[in-house]
Amino acid sequence: MTRGKTPRRLHLNAFLMNTGHHEASWRLPESDPYAHVDLRHYVRLARIAERGTFDSLFLADGPQLWSNLAQRPAGALEPLTLLTALATATEHIGLIATASTSYNSPYNLARKLASLDIISGGRAGWNIVTTAGAEAARNFGLAEEPAHAERYARAAEFLDVARKLWDSWEDDTIVADKAAGVWGDDSRIHPARHQGTYFSVAGALNVPRSPQGYPLLVQAGSSEDGKAFAARYAEAVFTAQRTLADAQAFYADLKSRTGRAGRDPGHIKVLPGIVPVLGSTQAEARAAEQLLEDHIVYEHGVGRLESLLTLPAGTLKLDERLPSELPPESAIEGAKSRYTLVVELARRERLTVRQLIARLGGGRGHLTFTGTPEQVAGQIETWFTQGAADGFNIMPAVLPSGLDAFVEHVVPLLRARGLFRTEYDDPRQTLRERYGLPRPAHPYPTPAPALV
Amino acid sequence: MTRGKTPRRLHLNAFLMNTGHHEASWRLPESDPYAHVDLRHYVRLARIAERGTFDSLFLADGPQLWSNLAQRPAGALEPLTLLTALATATEHIGLIATASTSYNSPYNLARKLASLDIISGGRAGWNIVTTAGAEAARNFGLAEEPAHAERYARAAEFLDVARKLWDSWEDDTIVADKAAGVWGDDSRIHPARHQGTYFSVAGALNVPRSPQGYPLLVQAGSSEDGKAFAARYAEAVFTAQRTLADAQAFYADLKSRTGRAGRDPGHIKVLPGIVPVLGSTQAEARAAEQLLEDHIVYEHGVGRLESLLTLPAGTLKLDERLPSELPPESAIEGAKSRYTLVVELARRERLTVRQLIARLGGGRGHLTFTGTPEQVAGQIETWFTQGAADGFNIMPAVLPSGLDAFVEHVVPLLRARGLFRTEYDDPRQTLRERYGLPRPAHPYPTPAPALV
């Protein structure tokens, strides 16, 4: 199953979010402040990404309403619902939904993901999140958020149960013998029979095995727990890396962990997030970035930063640096890797709080590639060829215009360099195949027809 | 808000199920045994129903795989997922999904239903079920099914929480003031702050209030608990009634209960289920019915009947009647009203087990109207005008052909008699408006702009 003969190709995922990843994007004249609840906006984005022969598109999510609606668009269509609608508006592109292992039941979520995989003809992906924060916990009967390690323990068991459910039908369970009056072969059904710490699930799933067997498994936590989980389960990983050296170290570490977990390191794809801000000259690109920064409401950003850093309100001053004393990552129960990334960025570049907010406003800690299409394509090639990435999670600052510009101006350069597909290879290719991953074999196929 | 001046019009709902409601329908030459997982099949059905200007279409569901796959198609696409795909393939028709209050979280389900309502432009409905049976319970960490009364108590609290969530955004929360940098008005957000017996939900929903405010609330339990619940919450009720007299009694009882619950009895629509089996002559219709009965595998039916009646396997004999001693409805924890309906049908018509299975095979206890289009239209008019129904839940024995025949041959007769719409009145009408129901007002609108 090695793919040594095929030239190594870049994978591109379009991370769709409202009017764009820049927090001030909704204030631009071109932006529709109601876009986040408008199916037509997302259909348009999906079709742009498909025109650019992207591997997939992706929606983030969390089961809570972030407070302070004044600052930017809040609330969103539920990802599995929205992606199902997009499945009918597209033909090729993968559809990756975020869903939480802490606040779903394996039976319901496995069923919905299998249903999307069937409806889309094998294009479903699941971004597995454990969901940080007390706000979410309090919407599901808990007083406080579960501890980080406990969330990951539950996530691991969730995956084990979900895979039992996805494998509860063999691929050829449906017999459809009309003459004999036999529709299905009950001997090919394997109930989950799971009794664990967090879940007890007895039966088989109530939907047949889907085209991919199960959805592409994606993960994005970069904490220690997150990396251990990814090595064991993930087939693609979204990550925020700010420098080539950091990205190379993360890449090597994750591939190595995956090998040590007994899996082929080629079967986990690493996709750092980048925010491309394009201009036909570098000055034009920088001006586009400046325009966005001018629209940031900095007072909002201070509150968000204090919340991330677990500091009391009023601690941070806009034109001063972060306090020298901050809690260690181990004391953070929320988004650990994001916490460290933000603190390190501020320290490394000696940023004031205002400067830090401006940098985070562009992509919440992800790397912004500001420049001409040639410069951005060059940076992508460097990261891809120098052991930092198998592809990229493209996070346009403004949507749809930023995605359109990337597809119009950067994708052709990547194609010309032989780094990226010029068309979708086979219209019936599944999302997992597009990422160069094998379809999961059924773990216990019935060897021969049962004697009745 | 009364509609006294408008002529009273029939409401029609298309109950879609695999290859049809007759259990042997999948064995007919015209039927596709993979239809239950084929989006194209459901798109075709939805478009036929829309051509027939139906009010809505509906999908049943339960979170378990029924055992014995040999007998008929099992497993199905998850209803909310499938209906979202159908929303993009249709323009007018309502989309009613079954979802369980026993095996969902209010926050997740309220979000998904609101998302479908937004995506479909106000066409979402929710068939509220409490889900009988130990098989489902064991897929969600329970050893046995919760008691009937407890399931309904949880359902009532679920509805209270869901409505708090659907009302957590006022209709005009989004301000979208780009110049001032103010997207939303936080004073118009009302967190659920619910602490109850079954649920504790603190926050606001993370999606704005949807076109209908919340989905059309539909219910189908006809037990005492079910009717009490319907009187309090339901806007449309699906019911199985075998005789005009039974249907009239049910109709009068439910309207009266709704009035006693402090609601307008006109704001609950009663839709008995009917299985139309059509022929251009009565003999032809009867032959079509006989063809289906000839395809029943009676041995399968015996097991299902024993399970429904909570009898040990092997108790029932095909050519004998039901035992004279059967448990009372009060001893049944599962589908109470269905149990009583089946027992009464067998006793009233002195059916053998084989005859009972043939009758149930056609619509699982719902009334079969076998005859010419004129006869079926006449029966519909009788029930509608004689206080037995506000409309009908149409359950074709074979799909798509049975739905197509109903739309081609019965709908024109209903239109000619002035009983049914000839076209959709206003393309922007919501599902609730189509059923002649008012949009729920927001319970606590903010009276004036908040002073900050």
Side-chain angles (χ1 to χ4, degrees):
Chain A
M1 284 307 221
T2 60
R3 303 199 155 228
K5 305 297 175 214
T6 320
R8 185 167 168 257
R9 287 283 182 80
L10 194 62
H11 299 284
L12 292 180
N13 175 73
F15 183 172
L16 307 184
M17 181 180 277
N18 302 345
T19 53
H21 286 269
H22 197 286
E23 66 169 82
S25 58
W26 74 273
R27 296 183 66 193
L28 297 187
E30 72 183 75
S31 293
D32 173 8
Y34 296 87
H36 67 312
V37 285
D38 189 341
L39 176 60
R40 293 166 304 180
H41 175 69
Y42 286 97
V43 167
R44 190 172 161 195
L45 295 176
R47 288 181 174 159
I48 294 170
E50 200 164 65
R51 201 176 76 227
T53 61
F54 273 51
D55 295 73
S56 51
L57 57 83
F58 157 66
L59 298 169
D61 200 53
Q64 70 283 317
L65 181 68
W66 295 112
S67 54
N68 203 341
L69 263 64
Q71 62 187 284
R72 56 177 168 175
L77 298 167
E78 191 277 325
L80 275 164
T81 313
L82 176 51
L83 291 180
T84 303
L86 295 183
T88 68
T90 55
E91 279 182 76
H92 304 285
I93 200 162
L95 306 159
I96 302 175
T98 297
S100 172
T101 53
S102 298
Y103 305 118
N104 277 291
S105 311
Y107 200 91
N108 287 341
L109 186 57
R111 172 109 179 281
K112 283 182 207 296
L113 286 162
S115 298
L116 176 59
D117 202 43
I118 292 170
I119 283 176
S120 65
R123 295 190 280 141
W126 173 23
N127 177 44
I128 305 158
V129 296
T130 67
T131 312
E135 290 86 352
R138 291 184 195 130
N139 289 335
F140 294 87
L142 302 178
E144 293 302 328
E145 77 178 306
H148 195 268
E150 188 179 332
R151 292 207 313 273
Y152 273 95
R154 179 179 157 119
E157 190 182 328
F158 196 114
L159 265 283
D160 293 341
V161 182
R163 292 207 299 205
K164 285 180 190 175
L165 288 166
W166 287 321
D167 288 335
S168 61
W169 292 54
E170 292 182 33
D171 285 310
D172 49 1
T173 299
I174 302 176
V175 174
D177 185 340
K178 290 183 179 182
V182 176
W183 183 80
D185 178 353
D186 289 283
S187 74
R188 291 174 190 271
I189 293 289
H190 306 269
R193 293 198 185 94
H194 178 89
Q195 293 271 4
T197 306
Y198 299 95
F199 306 109
S200 155
V201 179
L205 200 60
N206 54 349
V207 66
R209 200 161 193 257
S210 72
Q212 295 191 98
Y214 49 82
L216 180 76
L217 301 179
V218 182
Q219 199 261 358
S222 297
S223 66
E224 278 301 308
D225 290 332
K227 284 187 281 194
F229 181 89
R232 194 165 151 200
Y233 297 102
E235 299 170 284
V237 169
F238 298 147
T239 179
Q241 302 294 334
R242 305 259 339 165
T243 69
L244 178 61
D246 284 354
Q248 287 168 324
F250 178 85
Y251 185 95
D253 179 41
L254 200 59
K255 296 279 178 172
S256 157
R257 284 172 188 258
T258 302
R260 291 202 301 278
R263 296 173 58 209
D264 180 341
H267 290 170
I268 188 165
K269 306 296 179 185
V270 179
L271 288 84
I274 57 169
V275 180
V277 178
L278 296 165
S280 57
T281 63
Q282 198 166 357
E284 244 183 49
R286 179 59 203 136
E289 191 172 46
Q290 186 62 51
L291 180 69
L292 283 162
E293 286 174 12
D294 291 345
H295 282 88
I296 291 176
V297 180
Y298 284 90
E299 293 65 30
H300 295 326
V302 171
R304 284 204 308 278
L305 202 51
E306 285 167 343
S307 163
L308 175 72
L309 302 178
T310 67
L311 297 172
T315 311
L316 298 178
K317 307 292 171 217
L318 267 180
D319 294 304
E320 296 177 11
R321 294 197 194 145
L322 293 185
S324 50
E325 296 280 310
L326 287 172
E329 184 185 285
S330 59
I332 303 295
E333 280 302 332
K336 281 179 186 284
S337 55
R338 189 166 144 62
Y339 169 85
T340 299
L341 181 145
V342 168
V343 173
E344 285 181 0
L345 168 67
R347 301 267 193 253
R348 186 173 59 238
E349 307 194 14
R350 300 169 164 271
L351 302 174
T352 64
V353 167
R354 187 189 302 276
Q355 290 166 327
L356 180 59
I357 290 167
R359 296 290 287 274
L360 297 177
R364 305 181 316 285
H366 288 260
L367 184 60
T368 302
F369 279 6
T370 305
T372 64
E374 288 74 16
Q375 288 172 324
V376 171
Q379 284 190 276
I380 285 175
E381 180 165 15
T382 300
W383 283 48
F384 178 61
T385 56
Q386 300 199 5
D390 295 312
F392 290 87
N393 190 19
I394 306 299
M395 304 168 59
V398 186
L399 287 168
S401 65
L403 185 61
D404 200 59
F406 188 89
V407 164
E408 285 303 301
H409 302 296
V410 180
V411 165
L413 299 176
L414 298 173
R415 287 172 174 161
R417 295 174 192 213
L419 297 172
F420 193 56
R421 68 178 69 85
T422 53
E423 58 183 356
Y424 290 112
D425 306 320
D426 171 356
R428 267 172 296 277
Q429 201 175 42
T430 66
L431 173 58
R432 185 175 273 108
E433 289 165 344
R434 188 151 292 140
Y435 271 102
L437 300 162
R439 182 174 193 263
H442 196 279
Y444 28 71
T446 303
L451 295 171
V452 182
Chain B
M1 284 305 218
T2 60
R3 302 196 156 233
K5 303 298 174 213
T6 319
R8 185 169 167 257
R9 286 284 182 81
L10 193 62
H11 299 284
L12 292 180
N13 175 72
F15 183 172
L16 308 183
M17 181 179 278
N18 303 343
T19 53
H21 286 269
H22 197 286
E23 66 170 81
S25 59
W26 72 273
R27 296 184 66 192
L28 298 186
E30 71 183 73
S31 293
D32 172 7
Y34 297 86
H36 68 313
V37 285
D38 189 340
L39 176 61
R40 292 166 304 179
H41 175 69
Y42 285 97
V43 167
R44 188 172 162 193
L45 295 175
R47 288 180 175 159
I48 293 170
E50 199 163 64
R51 200 175 77 226
T53 61
F54 273 52
D55 294 73
S56 50
L57 57 84
F58 158 64
L59 298 170
D61 201 52
Q64 70 284 315
L65 181 67
W66 295 111
S67 55
N68 204 343
L69 263 64
Q71 61 188 282
R72 56 177 168 176
L77 297 167
E78 192 277 325
L80 276 165
T81 312
L82 176 51
L83 292 180
T84 303
L86 295 183
T88 67
T90 56
E91 280 181 76
H92 305 286
I93 199 161
L95 307 159
I96 303 175
T98 298
S100 172
T101 53
S102 299
Y103 305 118
N104 277 291
S105 311
Y107 199 92
N108 287 341
L109 187 58
R111 173 106 179 283
K112 284 182 207 297
L113 285 162
S115 297
L116 176 60
D117 202 44
I118 292 170
I119 283 177
S120 65
R123 296 189 279 141
W126 173 24
N127 178 43
I128 305 158
V129 296
T130 67
T131 311
E135 290 86 350
R138 292 185 193 127
N139 290 335
F140 294 87
L142 301 178
E144 293 302 327
E145 77 178 307
H148 195 268
E150 188 178 333
R151 292 206 312 272
Y152 273 94
R154 180 179 157 117
E157 190 182 330
F158 196 114
L159 265 283
D160 293 341
V161 182
R163 292 207 299 206
K164 286 180 190 176
L165 288 167
W166 287 321
D167 287 335
S168 60
W169 291 55
E170 291 182 33
D171 285 311
D172 50 1
T173 299
I174 302 176
V175 174
D177 185 340
K178 290 183 179 183
V182 176
W183 183 79
D185 178 352
D186 289 283
S187 74
R188 291 175 190 270
I189 293 289
H190 306 270
R193 292 197 187 95
H194 179 89
Q195 293 271 6
T197 306
Y198 299 96
F199 306 108
S200 155
V201 178
L205 200 60
N206 54 348
V207 66
R209 200 161 193 257
S210 71
Q212 295 190 99
Y214 49 83
L216 180 76
L217 301 179
V218 182
Q219 198 263 358
S222 296
S223 66
E224 278 301 308
D225 290 332
K227 284 186 281 195
F229 181 89
R232 194 165 152 200
Y233 297 102
E235 299 170 285
V237 169
F238 298 147
T239 179
Q241 301 294 334
R242 306 261 337 169
T243 69
L244 177 62
D246 284 354
Q248 286 168 327
F250 179 85
Y251 186 94
D253 180 41
L254 200 59
K255 297 279 177 174
S256 155
R257 285 172 187 258
T258 302
R260 290 201 303 277
R263 296 174 59 208
D264 181 342
H267 289 172
I268 188 165
K269 305 296 179 186
V270 179
L271 288 83
I274 57 168
V275 180
V277 178
L278 297 165
S280 56
T281 64
Q282 197 165 358
E284 245 183 49
R286 180 58 204 136
E289 191 172 46
Q290 186 61 51
L291 180 70
L292 284 162
E293 286 174 13
D294 291 344
H295 282 88
I296 291 176
V297 180
Y298 285 89
E299 292 66 28
H300 294 329
V302 171
R304 285 203 307 277
L305 202 51
E306 285 167 345
S307 162
L308 175 71
L309 302 178
T310 67
L311 298 171
T315 310
L316 298 178
K317 306 292 171 219
L318 268 178
D319 293 304
E320 296 177 10
R321 294 196 193 145
L322 294 185
S324 51
E325 296 281 310
L326 286 172
E329 183 184 286
S330 59
I332 302 293
E333 280 300 334
K336 282 178 186 285
S337 55
R338 187 165 148 61
Y339 169 86
T340 299
L341 180 146
V342 167
V343 172
E344 285 179 0
L345 169 66
R347 301 263 195 257
R348 186 172 61 239
E349 306 194 14
R350 300 168 165 271
L351 302 175
T352 64
V353 167
R354 186 188 303 275
Q355 289 166 328
L356 180 59
I357 290 168
R359 295 290 286 275
L360 296 177
R364 305 183 314 286
H366 288 260
L367 184 60
T368 301
F369 278 7
T370 305
T372 64
E374 288 74 14
Q375 288 172 324
V376 171
Q379 284 190 278
I380 285 175
E381 180 165 14
T382 301
W383 283 47
F384 178 63
T385 56
Q386 301 198 6
D390 294 311
F392 290 87
N393 190 19
I394 306 298
M395 304 168 59
V398 186
L399 288 168
S401 65
L403 185 61
D404 200 59
F406 188 89
V407 165
E408 285 304 301
H409 302 296
V410 180
V411 166
L413 300 176
L414 298 173
R415 287 172 175 161
R417 294 172 192 214
L419 298 173
F420 192 55
R421 69 178 67 85
T422 54
E423 57 183 356
Y424 289 111
D425 306 319
D426 171 355
R428 267 172 296 278
Q429 202 175 40
T430 66
L431 173 58
R432 185 175 274 108
E433 288 165 345
R434 187 152 291 142
Y435 272 101
L437 300 161
R439 182 173 192 264
H442 196 279
Y444 27 70
T446 302
L451 295 170
V452 181

